[in-house]
mmCIF file of all heavy atoms in Angstrom:
data_model
loop_
_atom_site.group_PDB
_atom_site.id
_atom_site.type_symbol
_atom_site.label_atom_id
_atom_site.label_comp_id
_atom_site.label_asym_id
_atom_site.label_seq_id
_atom_site.Cartn_x
_atom_site.Cartn_y
_atom_site.Cartn_z
ATOM 1 N N SER S 1149 -10.669 34.076 -24.685
ATOM 2 C CA SER S 1149 -10.403 35.471 -24.292
ATOM 3 C C SER S 1149 -11.609 35.941 -23.454
ATOM 4 O O SER S 1149 -12.747 35.816 -23.892
ATOM 5 C CB SER S 1149 -10.257 36.355 -25.519
ATOM 6 O OG SER S 1149 -10.278 37.705 -25.135
ATOM 7 N N PHE S 1150 -11.309 36.452 -22.273
ATOM 8 C CA PHE S 1150 -12.386 36.921 -21.406
ATOM 9 C C PHE S 1150 -12.250 38.373 -21.003
ATOM 10 O O PHE S 1150 -13.012 38.863 -20.172
ATOM 11 C CB PHE S 1150 -12.500 36.018 -20.149
ATOM 12 C CG PHE S 1150 -12.880 34.599 -20.488
ATOM 13 C CD1 PHE S 1150 -11.943 33.583 -20.427
ATOM 14 C CD2 PHE S 1150 -14.164 34.270 -20.885
ATOM 15 C CE1 PHE S 1150 -12.270 32.275 -20.755
ATOM 16 C CE2 PHE S 1150 -14.522 32.981 -21.217
ATOM 17 C CZ PHE S 1150 -13.574 31.973 -21.138
ATOM 18 N N SER S 1151 -11.261 39.073 -21.580
ATOM 19 C CA SER S 1151 -11.095 40.474 -21.163
ATOM 20 C C SER S 1151 -12.181 41.344 -21.796
ATOM 21 O O SER S 1151 -12.604 42.339 -21.204
ATOM 22 C CB SER S 1151 -9.694 40.982 -21.489
ATOM 23 O OG SER S 1151 -9.527 40.995 -22.878
ATOM 24 N N GLY S 1152 -12.624 40.965 -23.010
ATOM 25 C CA GLY S 1152 -13.642 41.775 -23.698
ATOM 26 C C GLY S 1152 -14.954 41.780 -22.954
ATOM 27 O O GLY S 1152 -15.579 42.843 -22.781
ATOM 28 N N ILE S 1153 -15.356 40.641 -22.456
ATOM 29 C CA ILE S 1153 -16.660 40.599 -21.749
ATOM 30 C C ILE S 1153 -16.574 41.370 -20.438
ATOM 31 O O ILE S 1153 -17.545 42.021 -20.013
ATOM 32 C CB ILE S 1153 -17.152 39.137 -21.525
ATOM 33 C CG1 ILE S 1153 -18.574 39.192 -20.966
ATOM 34 C CG2 ILE S 1153 -16.248 38.301 -20.672
ATOM 35 C CD1 ILE S 1153 -19.316 37.907 -21.017
ATOM 36 N N LYS S 1154 -15.401 41.354 -19.844
ATOM 37 C CA LYS S 1154 -15.212 42.110 -18.601
ATOM 38 C C LYS S 1154 -15.465 43.616 -18.882
ATOM 39 O O LYS S 1154 -16.181 44.290 -18.149
ATOM 40 C CB LYS S 1154 -13.777 41.876 -18.133
ATOM 41 C CG LYS S 1154 -13.487 42.242 -16.732
ATOM 42 C CD LYS S 1154 -12.018 41.989 -16.442
ATOM 43 C CE LYS S 1154 -11.119 42.776 -17.347
ATOM 44 N NZ LYS S 1154 -9.705 42.408 -17.258
ATOM 45 N N THR S 1155 -14.867 44.107 -19.967
ATOM 46 C CA THR S 1155 -15.050 45.521 -20.334
ATOM 47 C C THR S 1155 -16.509 45.774 -20.682
ATOM 48 O O THR S 1155 -17.080 46.815 -20.308
ATOM 49 C CB THR S 1155 -14.144 45.866 -21.539
ATOM 50 O OG1 THR S 1155 -12.842 45.409 -21.234
ATOM 51 C CG2 THR S 1155 -14.115 47.354 -21.828
ATOM 52 N N ALA S 1156 -17.128 44.828 -21.396
ATOM 53 C CA ALA S 1156 -18.538 45.005 -21.784
ATOM 54 C C ALA S 1156 -19.422 45.104 -20.537
ATOM 55 O O ALA S 1156 -20.349 45.925 -20.488
ATOM 56 C CB ALA S 1156 -18.984 43.847 -22.664
ATOM 57 N N VAL S 1157 -19.135 44.286 -19.549
ATOM 58 C CA VAL S 1157 -19.941 44.351 -18.311
ATOM 59 C C VAL S 1157 -19.705 45.700 -17.618
ATOM 60 O O VAL S 1157 -20.659 46.351 -17.164
ATOM 61 C CB VAL S 1157 -19.611 43.171 -17.361
ATOM 62 C CG1 VAL S 1157 -20.328 43.327 -16.026
ATOM 63 C CG2 VAL S 1157 -19.976 41.847 -18.008
ATOM 64 N N LEU S 1158 -18.450 46.132 -17.574
ATOM 65 C CA LEU S 1158 -18.144 47.430 -16.949
ATOM 66 C C LEU S 1158 -18.888 48.565 -17.661
ATOM 67 O O LEU S 1158 -19.525 49.407 -17.006
ATOM 68 C CB LEU S 1158 -16.630 47.675 -16.976
ATOM 69 C CG LEU S 1158 -16.164 49.035 -16.456
ATOM 70 C CD1 LEU S 1158 -16.521 49.201 -14.984
ATOM 71 C CD2 LEU S 1158 -14.661 49.233 -16.663
ATOM 72 N N ASN S 1159 -18.838 48.542 -19.007
ATOM 73 C CA ASN S 1159 -19.531 49.589 -19.778
ATOM 74 C C ASN S 1159 -21.011 49.543 -19.512
ATOM 75 O O ASN S 1159 -21.681 50.586 -19.396
ATOM 76 C CB ASN S 1159 -19.253 49.411 -21.274
ATOM 77 C CG ASN S 1159 -17.826 49.768 -21.641
ATOM 78 O OD1 ASN S 1159 -17.135 50.439 -20.848
ATOM 79 N ND2 ASN S 1159 -17.347 49.312 -22.772
ATOM 80 N N TYR S 1160 -21.548 48.339 -19.425
ATOM 81 C CA TYR S 1160 -22.985 48.201 -19.185
ATOM 82 C C TYR S 1160 -23.356 48.777 -17.819
ATOM 83 O O TYR S 1160 -24.312 49.532 -17.689
ATOM 84 C CB TYR S 1160 -23.400 46.730 -19.276
ATOM 85 C CG TYR S 1160 -24.892 46.566 -19.152
ATOM 86 C CD1 TYR S 1160 -25.715 46.728 -20.270
ATOM 87 C CD2 TYR S 1160 -25.479 46.291 -17.929
ATOM 88 C CE1 TYR S 1160 -27.108 46.630 -20.154
ATOM 89 C CE2 TYR S 1160 -26.863 46.179 -17.798
ATOM 90 C CZ TYR S 1160 -27.667 46.354 -18.920
ATOM 91 O OH TYR S 1160 -29.017 46.255 -18.800
#
Side-chain angles (χ1 to χ4, degrees):
S1149 169
F1150 296 105
S1151 65
I1153 188 165
K1154 196 182 59 189
T1155 310
V1157 174
L1158 175 63
N1159 289 343
Y1160 185 83

